[in-house]
Structure formats: C-alpha cells, structure tokens
Amino acid sequence: MDDLLAQLRSSLPADALITDPDVMASYAHDMASFCAAGTPAVVVLPRTVEQVQHVMRTATALRVPVVPQGARTGLSGAANATDGCIVLSLTKMDRILEIGQVDRIAVVEPGVVNATLSRAVAEVGLYYPPDPSSWETCTIGGNIGTASGGLCCVKYGVTAEYVLGLEVVLADGRLLTTGRRTAKGVAGYDLTRLFVGSEGSLGIVVKAVLALRPLPPRQLVLAAEFPSAAAACDAVCRIMERGHTPSLLELMDGTTVRAVNAMTRMGLPESTEALLLAGFDTPDPAADLAAVGELCVAAGATEVVPAADAAESELLLQARRQSLIALEKVKSATMIDDVCVPRSRLGDMLDGTAAIARKHDLTIGVCAHAGDGNTHPVVCFDQADPDESRRARASFDEIMALGLELGGTITGEHGVGVLKKEWLSRELGPVGLELQRGIKQTFDPLGLLNPGKLF
Amino acid sequence: MDDLLAQLRSSLPADALITDPDVMASYAHDMASFCAAGTPAVVVLPRTVEQVQHVMRTATALRVPVVPQGARTGLSGAANATDGCIVLSLTKMDRILEIGQVDRIAVVEPGVVNATLSRAVAEVGLYYPPDPSSWETCTIGGNIGTASGGLCCVKYGVTAEYVLGLEVVLADGRLLTTGRRTAKGVAGYDLTRLFVGSEGSLGIVVKAVLALRPLPPRQLVLAAEFPSAAAACDAVCRIMERGHTPSLLELMDGTTVRAVNAMTRMGLPESTEALLLAGFDTPDPAADLAAVGELCVAAGATEVVPAADAAESELLLQARRQSLIALEKVKSATMIDDVCVPRSRLGDMLDGTAAIARKHDLTIGVCAHAGDGNTHPVVCFDQADPDESRRARASFDEIMALGLELGGTITGEHGVGVLKKEWLSRELGPVGLELQRGIKQTFDPLGLLNPGKLF
C-alpha cells in the first residue's frame, strides 16, 4: 500500500492523488442502487496520457486493480470501486482538442462533459447527437465505456455510432491507437467498437475521435394521450411502419405521468394511461407532426396536442426528463430496468410488465424510448419492508426474463456493470461468454482492469 | 485428402461438393489483380447451418484450412484459395428469412445477393443502403466479411452500420449468436462488429440480422465540371462545411472522364479536369442541388448541370459506375487502390497522386467517393513491360504511404486480404497488430480460417 502510493507519487503531481477516506468514499460508486462497492486504496486524477500510462504501469507492476471512472452517473455499478483498487478518474482530462467542420469530427479527452461538447460543436453548426439523460454532467469517456443512448437514438443512434477512433492506455501501460479520423476504413478488426461499451475492462480511453453531424433544425414535439399502453404502442408501430423518422418517440405510462405531476405540478393529464411524445427535426416538422397525429388518433389517442414552437416542445420534454426522478419519489427505493425489445413487441413488453407489477403487488412505472423498443421499468418499493424488497428484486429479474423471451436484450443502454452480471451469461450463452472472456484475457491478461464487472 | 472427402461426404449431399479441377479453378480467386491464389482440395457449397458446422468440424479434426467465399467480387484477394484448402462457398444459402416493417430489419442467409435484398425490401417501402459497385452480384455475407462501402456511404454509412446481429459457425463447428434484433443493446463486448470486415478469419457467418431504413425519395443528381481536381475538392469541402447531406458526392478526374468517354461514347466533357456528381434524396432535392450548384461555381466550376429527373440522374451515375471498367481498358493491367483520407485532405491526396503518376511516368485515373474522402486511384500499366510493372507497384505503394501521411487509411472499403497485408502492420502499429493477432487466436486457435489473409 505504501509502496503503491510511493510509486504513484514518483511521477504524479501531489494534487493528482486523493487518499482522504471521506473524499475517496465519494468516488466509491456510481448512481446505481443496490450495487456493492468497495473501498479504494487511492483515487488518481491524471491530466495527461503519460500520467495514465504511469498509473497503469504501476498497477501492473504491483498487481493492483484499476477502476476507471468518468462522472459516475452510470446506472449499473460499472464504475464502483473494488477493495484496495486504484480509482482512476479521467475527469481532469477534459480538453476539446479539435473540432473539424469539413471533416465533421471532434477530438476530445475522455473527461469532456457531454453537454460541453454538444454546445461547443453547435457553435460551429455541428451536432453531437448522443444525449443520455445525465448529459449535463456525464463525460464522453463514460459515455464510451457504457455505450450510452438517449432520447435521440431513434433517429441518430447511440454513442457507438459516433466513435471513429480511440487512443487507449492498455493494462500494461502501452498506448494503443485504434480506428481512424476518416469517414470510413476497414484496416483490420474493429478494435474501436470493442472498447465502446466495454465498461473500462479492456483499457483506459484517453482520447477519442468522434463523428459529428450538421446541426438539424430545432425539433417540434407532439403529445398524444392514450387510454392504454397497448394503444400507444400500436401508434408507435404505425408511425414506424409508415416510414416516419421521428427525432424522438418517447412513452410515459400512467404511473409515470402521475408521478411527474405529483412532483412538478405540471398539470399533465392525470387520467391518461400512456402519454406518447413524438418529435421531428425535419425541414417541415409541423407537417410530420400532423401525419403522426393522425396515426395516433387511428390507434386510439383521445387527445393530440402538437407544440406550437420549440419552447413549448422543450416543456413537453421536461416531463419526460423528470420521469425517473419523479418515480424515485413514489417509494423509498427504486430499481431501474433497461430492457430493449424489438419495437413490434413493445406492447407485449408493457403488458407483461404490468402483469408482473400486479403479481407482486408493486408499483412499476414505465418510461420508454418507445421508438427504440427500449423500456425503463422503474420498480418502486419500500426498502424497510423485507418482503416488498424481495418482491421488487424478483420483479426486476422477471422483467429481464420477459425481455429475453420477447427477443430483446437485458440492457439497451445502461450496461451490465455489477447489476446485471448474472444475467449477461444468460443473454450471451456459454459460447458467447467464453469468447468474451477470451477477448478480456487478450487485452488484460492479469485481470486488473475493472475486475468483477460484466462477467 | 481421401480422408477429407470421405468425411465431408458423410454428412453432405453429393451436389454440395466440387472436386473437378477445372470447376474448382473458377473458385480459386476473387477479382483482385496480382494476388496469389492456391489450389483448393475441394469446394463445398452447403445449404444449411448444420452442413457448415459439419464442414468446420471436419476441417478442425483434420487440420485443413478453410477459405469462406461469397460471390468473389472482392478486390483484395481475401477470398483467394490457399493450397489444399476447403473453399466454403456460401452462395447456396441464399434465403431471405424475414423482413420486418415495424422493426425495420431483415434476417438473411449469407448468400443473398445485395441487389435481391435491396429490391425485396424496397417492395415494402424499406431501404438497405450499402451499395458496393458489385451490388448486382455480390452477397451479403461477402459484404459483411469485407465491410463493403458504396456510393451511398456519404449519407448512409457502410455495411457495418447495418449489421445488428449474426449467427456464426466457429472454427470448431460450434454456433455463436452475437448482437440483437433490437434497435440498441449493450450486453457485453460488441462481437458483431468484430466479425464485420474480418474477411472470414474469425468464423463463418451463416445468418445476419440487418437494419433497414425507410425508402427515401428518388435522388436527383447534379454534375459539375472543374478546371482542376483541387477546385473540385474545394467544392466538396464547401458543401460539407455548409452542412449539406448529399446522398452521393462522387468525383471523377479528367483521366477517368476521358477513359469512360472512350469506352462508352457517352459524350462527357473531354476537357474537364474533374467531374463532380452530387445527389440528394431529400424532400426537395432541386433546392438542395441549386444550393450545392452555387457552391460549386464559387469553387470554380465552369459548368453545372442539374439532372431534370431521376432518369437523367441515373444516366449521370452510369458514367461513374463505368469508371473502373473504363480505366481497366487504358492499358493491359491495372492496380486499384482504395485510400481514404479526412475529406479536408482530399485535395492534397489528389494532387499527391498526380505527382506520383508524373514521377513514375504512369497513367493513374482517380475516381473517388469524394464525400467520404475515399479515393480509388487506378494505376494503369502494361504488364508485358517489366519496368512499367515495377513502377506501377511502386506508385501503388506510394499512394498508400501518402494516404497514411495525410491521416488516412490504406483501405476505405476494399479490405486488406493478401493485397495489403504488408501495409496493415504499418497502419496498425506493433501494439495494434499484437492485439489483432490475440483476437484471431481467441477465435481460431488452430489458424484454420482463411490463413495468410490480413496478417
């Protein structure tokens, strides 16, 4: 331990190390509930690639595990410390190194905050789409590690789609460059994509080349009320079947709507069983909203309210953005699931989730990136009640089982971390798991990088 | 050898095996020039996953190398036979298993021809964008193996962007399922993407889940003549900098234009030094073409001709599609390069290529997916002239060196195969190469899958 600190200090400035137990405690875990976290030996905040290399060389020499971290806004415990580990926080490596308008790329350090990048590129007419709900605080490095999604995915895809190339410090401290700055390239296996979503288990991302798009027109949003979740899901299917390309297509079930109302006094329709929000950032969004509004009515919508302008649209989105926080206030605790199914099965997923809630006599509010088939069922329970807690855990698992049964995945965008470790093998199967472990072994033969996560 | 055939025959129908030397010879190589090809022991054309598993189990038991093949339209020798190998042609596994309109996916066997799939999905209002120039004959399996590009990449990306999930027979015959049918998912490392572009070296793709898009409006194309390649590249930069999203943005240099004229009598402008084709499949393509036309004039275009309709647009594209064939007629032989640079460096790439042609006293015609920065310099030479052949090879290499120097890649979309093996290590560097080999070792410990390709 003294050896570890001494070796780290030999090539790091004093202010790059934190050993105060109270401060270290704040670095012990991300925002996932009910995920075990250990006590780090030290928290290191490097500012340069060389410093990261020094940390990894030291870790390898002394066989100390390393847990890389961004802003710790993750929801699966992937950034949780393990006992005696080095917490490697990349938040101080926060420079935007380059924004190229012709090439439509940005080159950034991992600690750049998503919103900071989004605003910087918008100033020159460009757009970095990935927008996880933590976008005001989460970092690009964390987004890459967890392959974050967001509201825009239905049109613009997830973080993975925007990572062209990486610089990565390997477990032994060597520097690897992957990918490219070009629009395309096929030289060898796609190592870049392997790192996206790897939850820090293969290497430490110290630089990223990101693809950008032209800034689209501001989106206009429509809200539609439905008498049932099934009717709203039917509308989603009709919208996609007709070839529309909404820039967002979000669903809040009745429980979520009422929870948001209770918290915000927003005056959302209390009696609705599902609120669908559809957005378009096309040249003529009003026309698209009109067409989609008709499809909603055909699917049974009782009310369709198109926003008059961007400001009104933003207000509608606020309701959606408050969903998770509002549901957290329903009971003393929540477990947030993240099951993604083929969108044609979204209705089955919502009906099945409601059945699980009834069976276990629990409140489960669902908000969903409906256009992606990605649901976030939020299981609300009283932590002081052991039986209710047990039922909550059981329903959380049953929701994942249902997702797999419907041809979906246990995690659309939140990742595996420690929360869904046991479920990963179920989704991947033994052959897939063996190969995943083989890849881990190739990149990190000593198993020092974020041990105990994923599998 | 007898043992091999006997074991293969034990679980394969007679018509799935070819041993006639003349017929086998036609399976020995793809469309790359000057790439060594060996003599296969047998060509196998399986029709089921189980048959592929039988082939791989046999190959593993007897330690026989396997070279997987699609339509052999590749341009880097990745599908070339090695001596004594099993050529595994997937062309008979050619069923479209499913097209889902709501989920916007297709599930296909690897032998489905790109154009067959494109037409089938278009019938239900969907679009499978990847359109390599061999799209009328090449297979989806081959497209996945080589991570093919095409004309549409500038707006719609490459094959990789459309592969959601795979079923793969591993070297030892086990079946692996990767990825998903859902719009997104982050359960474990992205093995799907690892297979895309792996040139059959990690496993045999036997089924693919592909993402589709809504069918866009038919595109309208504009042709612009420039007095120099540099001016055309300047126009490309202006178009992208202004935030336009063309559905194609192609460049033919003067040499290419004249070669196409010589072959087709199309009447293209003989005196032009660069012809730029820009297409839009937006709701109002004429407006977009007008804006882009102005940018072309500002960059020095001497003539701008927008097509009046889709038919006229198609005619303009014919010229581009004939480019490679026309350049092949300039001399007895050609070497086709595939260097992709950041599009801001496209002008430097074209000027540098012209300088290499002058230095070696060679004709090098360039056509380019200009919007991607992806150039195809075609080195034309007389194969009977040893000195000219030597200079051709030297210039081919110098073009790749130039691409790397400009921050690009040795291959934008044609792949490594045997043609660019020596160059792959140069692009990846020793650390990258070591990890790539580690991955190969994880998937194919005996080294039986397409040996001698990539690295």
Side-chain angles (χ1 to χ4, degrees):
Chain A
M1 172 69 188
D2 288 350
D3 208 24
L4 171 64
L5 293 180
Q7 282 213 32
L8 287 173
R9 282 190 183 118
S10 71
S11 291
L12 289 167
D15 69 351
L17 295 177
I18 296 172
T19 52
D20 178 285
D22 292 340
V23 182
M24 283 205 296
S26 69
Y27 285 87
H29 52 82
D30 65 19
M31 298 198 26
S33 321
F34 310 106
C35 288
T39 305
V42 57
V43 174
V44 185
L45 296 117
R47 287 182 182 272
T48 67
V49 174
E50 293 69 26
Q51 290 176 1
V52 175
Q53 291 184 285
H54 174 68
V55 171
M56 292 314 304
R57 277 189 212 109
T58 304
T60 288
L62 302 177
R63 305 290 194 267
V64 179
V66 175
V67 177
Q69 288 184 345
R72 284 175 286 110
T73 52
L75 293 168
S76 64
N80 284 11
T82 49
D83 281 331
C85 78
I86 299 170
V87 161
L88 185 57
S89 170
L90 283 308
T91 48
K92 301 282 186 204
M93 292 179 68
D94 62 354
R95 290 177 304 160
I96 297 174
L97 302 170
E98 187 185 336
I99 296 173
Q101 285 178 271
V102 170
D103 295 328
R104 293 185 185 164
I105 59 169
V107 183
V108 303
E109 291 185 330
V112 170
V113 169
N114 181 303
T116 306
L117 176 66
S118 296
R119 290 186 184 118
V121 304
E123 270 176 35
V124 293
L126 290 167
Y127 179 39
Y128 178 69
D131 61 344
S133 53
S134 56
W135 75 295
E136 288 279 6
T137 49
C138 65
T139 65
I140 297 297
N143 294 169
I144 292 171
T146 59
S148 319
L151 298 189
C152 74
C153 296
V154 62
K155 180 166 181 177
Y156 295 105
V158 295
T159 300
E161 261 90 56
Y162 296 88
V163 185
L164 297 178
L166 295 172
E167 280 188 20
V168 180
V169 174
L170 297 173
D172 60 12
R174 288 185 298 169
L175 191 64
L176 168 72
T177 302
T178 75
R180 52 197 162 84
R181 295 170 61 94
T182 51
K184 57 192 185 188
V186 290
Y189 304 138
D190 190 343
L191 298 190
T192 306
R193 198 62 174 247
L194 208 50
F195 281 99
V196 180
S198 66
E199 301 188 344
S201 66
L202 299 178
I204 312 294
V205 170
V206 290
K207 197 197 276 189
V209 183
L210 303 173
L212 305 172
R213 285 172 170 264
L215 197 62
R218 293 200 60 178
Q219 76 184 349
L220 221 51
V221 174
L222 157 158
E225 294 171 40
F226 291 87
S228 70
C233 294
D234 181 29
V236 169
C237 290
R238 287 170 192 246
I239 291 166
M240 301 308 279
E241 197 171 17
R242 283 293 180 91
H244 291 287
T245 305
S247 47
L248 73 86
L249 192 51
E250 296 287 320
L251 185 151
M252 299 159 67
D253 73 354
T255 304
T256 306
V257 168
R258 289 182 283 274
V260 170
N261 261 353
M263 182 178 79
T264 64
R265 314 274 164 222
M266 253 186 194
L268 298 173
E270 281 279 331
S271 65
T272 190
E273 283 312 313
L275 194 67
L276 194 66
L277 301 176
F280 283 86
D281 60 3
T282 46
D284 187 0
D288 289 308
L289 288 186
V292 159
E294 276 176 34
L295 293 173
C296 287
V297 169
T302 52
E303 184 103 45
V304 172
V305 187
D309 53 29
E312 227 178 278
S313 296
E314 196 42 48
L315 215 61
L316 285 172
L317 286 184
Q318 285 307 328
R320 169 63 185 87
R321 291 217 180 89
Q322 301 292 324
S323 297
L324 289 187
I325 305 164
L327 286 166
E328 278 168 6
K329 297 194 186 299
V330 171
K331 290 258 184 167
S332 74
T334 53
M335 295 188 79
I336 303 165
D337 226 323
D338 172 41
V339 169
C340 190
V341 295
R343 71 174 75 85
S344 59
R345 308 307 300 271
L346 188 63
D348 297 327
M349 187 67 211
L350 287 182
D351 285 349
T353 303
I356 290 168
R358 279 194 304 276
K359 173 181 156 192
H360 291 291
D361 190 24
L362 286 166
T363 299
I364 302 181
V366 181
C367 49
H369 306 305
D372 302 325
N374 189 186
T375 68
H376 294 309
V378 180
V379 184
C380 308
F381 64 103
D382 179 3
Q383 221 182 328
D385 179 338
D387 187 65
E388 191 164 294
S389 300
R390 187 194 53 72
R391 283 181 281 131
R393 178 74 222 191
S395 66
F396 183 77
D397 285 349
E398 284 171 30
I399 288 166
M400 284 189 279
L402 173 62
L404 290 180
E405 199 183 304
L406 295 173
T409 170
I410 57 164
T411 175
E413 56 181 11
H414 291 175
V416 175
V418 289
L419 185 67
K420 297 187 170 183
K421 266 180 73 165
E422 291 154 37
W423 281 84
L424 184 64
S425 58
R426 196 153 154 182
E427 176 161 342
L428 297 180
V431 180
L433 200 65
E434 182 188 313
L435 290 168
Q436 300 246 344
R437 287 191 171 130
I439 288 170
K440 166 73 174 172
Q441 179 71 19
T442 299
F443 282 82
D444 180 23
L446 299 173
L448 298 177
L449 285 165
N450 214 4
K453 312 297 164 58
L454 279 170
F455 37 68
Chain B
M1 172 69 187
D2 287 350
D3 207 25
L4 171 65
L5 293 180
Q7 283 213 30
L8 287 174
R9 281 189 184 120
S10 70
S11 292
L12 289 167
D15 69 351
L17 295 177
I18 296 172
T19 52
D20 179 285
D22 291 341
V23 183
M24 285 205 296
S26 69
Y27 285 87
H29 52 82
D30 64 18
M31 297 194 33
S33 321
F34 311 107
C35 288
T39 305
V42 57
V43 174
V44 185
L45 295 116
R47 288 183 182 269
T48 68
V49 173
E50 292 69 28
Q51 289 176 0
V52 175
Q53 291 184 284
H54 175 67
V55 171
M56 292 314 304
R57 278 190 211 108
T58 305
T60 289
L62 301 178
R63 304 290 194 266
V64 179
V66 174
V67 177
Q69 288 184 347
R72 284 175 284 110
T73 51
L75 292 167
S76 63
N80 283 11
T82 49
D83 281 331
C85 77
I86 300 169
V87 160
L88 185 57
S89 170
L90 282 309
T91 48
K92 301 282 187 202
M93 292 179 68
D94 62 354
R95 290 178 303 161
I96 297 174
L97 302 171
E98 187 187 335
I99 295 173
Q101 284 178 270
V102 170
D103 295 328
R104 291 184 186 165
I105 58 169
V107 182
V108 302
E109 291 186 329
V112 171
V113 168
N114 181 303
T116 306
L117 176 66
S118 297
R119 290 185 184 119
V121 304
E123 269 175 35
V124 293
L126 290 168
Y127 179 39
Y128 178 69
D131 61 344
S133 53
S134 55
W135 76 294
E136 289 278 7
T137 49
C138 64
T139 64
I140 297 298
N143 295 169
I144 292 171
T146 58
S148 320
L151 298 188
C152 74
C153 296
V154 63
K155 180 166 182 177
Y156 295 104
V158 295
T159 299
E161 261 89 58
Y162 296 89
V163 185
L164 297 178
L166 294 172
E167 280 189 21
V168 179
V169 174
L170 297 173
D172 59 12
R174 288 184 300 170
L175 191 63
L176 168 72
T177 302
T178 75
R180 52 197 162 86
R181 293 170 63 93
T182 52
K184 56 191 185 187
V186 291
Y189 304 139
D190 191 343
L191 298 190
T192 306
R193 197 64 173 246
L194 207 50
F195 281 99
V196 179
S198 65
E199 300 187 346
S201 66
L202 299 179
I204 313 293
V205 170
V206 290
K207 196 198 275 188
V209 183
L210 303 173
L212 305 172
R213 287 172 169 266
L215 197 63
R218 292 202 61 176
Q219 76 184 348
L220 220 52
V221 175
L222 157 159
E225 293 171 38
F226 291 87
S228 69
C233 293
D234 181 29
V236 169
C237 291
R238 288 170 191 246
I239 291 166
M240 300 309 279
E241 197 171 17
R242 283 294 180 92
H244 291 287
T245 305
S247 48
L248 72 87
L249 192 51
E250 296 289 319
L251 185 149
M252 298 160 67
D253 73 354
T255 304
T256 306
V257 168
R258 289 182 281 276
V260 170
N261 261 351
M263 183 177 80
T264 65
R265 313 276 164 221
M266 254 186 193
L268 297 173
E270 281 279 331
S271 63
T272 190
E273 283 311 314
L275 193 67
L276 194 66
L277 301 176
F280 283 86
D281 60 3
T282 46
D284 187 1
D288 289 308
L289 288 185
V292 159
E294 276 175 34
L295 293 173
C296 286
V297 170
T302 51
E303 184 102 47
V304 172
V305 186
D309 55 29
E312 227 177 278
S313 295
E314 196 41 49
L315 215 63
L316 286 172
L317 286 184
Q318 286 306 329
R320 169 63 185 87
R321 292 218 181 88
Q322 301 292 324
S323 296
L324 290 187
I325 305 164
L327 286 166
E328 278 168 5
K329 297 193 186 299
V330 172
K331 289 258 184 167
S332 75
T334 53
M335 294 187 79
I336 303 166
D337 227 322
D338 172 41
V339 169
C340 189
V341 296
R343 71 175 73 87
S344 59
R345 308 307 299 272
L346 188 63
D348 297 327
M349 187 67 211
L350 286 183
D351 285 350
T353 303
I356 290 167
R358 281 195 302 276
K359 174 181 156 192
H360 290 293
D361 190 22
L362 287 167
T363 298
I364 302 181
V366 181
C367 49
H369 307 304
D372 303 324
N374 189 186
T375 68
H376 293 310
V378 180
V379 184
C380 307
F381 64 103
D382 180 2
Q383 220 180 330
D385 179 338
D387 187 65
E388 191 164 293
S389 300
R390 187 195 53 73
R391 283 181 282 130
R393 178 75 222 192
S395 67
F396 184 77
D397 285 349
E398 284 170 31
I399 287 166
M400 283 190 279
L402 174 62
L404 290 180
E405 199 184 302
L406 294 173
T409 170
I410 57 165
T411 174
E413 56 180 12
H414 291 175
V416 175
V418 290
L419 185 67
K420 297 188 170 181
K421 265 180 74 164
E422 291 153 39
W423 281 85
L424 183 64
S425 59
R426 196 152 154 182
E427 175 162 341
L428 297 180
V431 180
L433 200 64
E434 183 188 313
L435 289 167
Q436 300 246 344
R437 287 191 171 131
I439 288 170
K440 167 72 174 173
Q441 179 71 19
T442 298
F443 282 80
D444 180 23
L446 299 173
L448 298 177
L449 285 165
N450 214 3
K453 311 297 164 58
L454 279 169
F455 37 69

